[in-house]
C-alpha cells in the first residue's frame, strides 16, 4: 500500500510538470481559435449535408480564420509560430 502511494505521488508530480509545461499553449488564444474553427467546419459540413444555406457563414468563418491568425501574429497578440 505504501508503494502505491509513492507511485500516485510520482504520477501527480509528473502531471503537474506536464501541465506547467503545456499551460502556455493550452491557455493561448491560438488553441481556442483553432478549436472554434474546427467546430465551425464540422458544423458547416453538417449543415451543407442537410442542405441548409446557413452553412455559408460557418465556412466563411473557417476560411477567414487564416487571415485573422496572420493579423494576430503581425500585431503580436499571438506568439506561437504556427504558420
Amino acid at each position: 500500500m505504501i508503494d502505491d502511494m509513492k507511485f500516485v505521488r510520482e504520477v501527480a508530480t509528473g502531471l503537474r510538470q506536464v501541465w506547467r509545461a503545456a499551460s502556455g499553449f493550452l491557455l493561448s488564444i491560438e488553441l481556442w481559435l483553432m478549436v472554434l474553427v474546427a467546430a465551425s467546419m464540422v458544423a458547416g459540413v453538417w449543415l451543407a449535408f442537410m442542405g441548409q444555406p446557413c452553412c455559408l457563414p460557418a465556412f466563411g468563418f473557417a476560411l477567414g480564420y487564416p487571415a485573422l491568425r496572420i493579423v494576430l501574429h503581425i500585431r503580436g497578440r499571438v506568439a506561437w509560430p504556427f504558420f
Side-chain angles (χ1 to χ4, degrees):
M1 190 72 173
I2 293 173
D3 291 331
D4 292 336
M5 291 299 290
K6 183 178 180 183
F7 178 72
V8 170
R9 287 182 189 153
E10 290 175 358
V11 169
T13 303
L15 284 174
R16 271 187 267 133
Q17 290 173 353
V18 168
W19 172 252
R20 286 181 188 145
S23 66
F25 174 70
L26 294 175
L27 298 176
S28 72
I29 190 172
E30 183 91 13
L31 174 71
W32 295 110
L33 285 172
M34 289 188 289
V35 169
L36 188 60
V37 166
S40 174
M41 196 61 152
V42 169
V45 168
W46 178 253
L47 290 170
F49 177 73
M50 299 298 288
Q52 298 290 325
C54 60
C55 69
L56 296 175
F59 284 134
F61 176 74
L63 297 175
Y65 169 69
L68 175 66
R69 188 169 73 176
I70 290 170
V71 169
L72 288 175
H73 277 285
I74 289 172
R75 289 189 177 181
R77 301 276 183 202
V78 182
W80 292 93
F82 291 133
F83 280 109

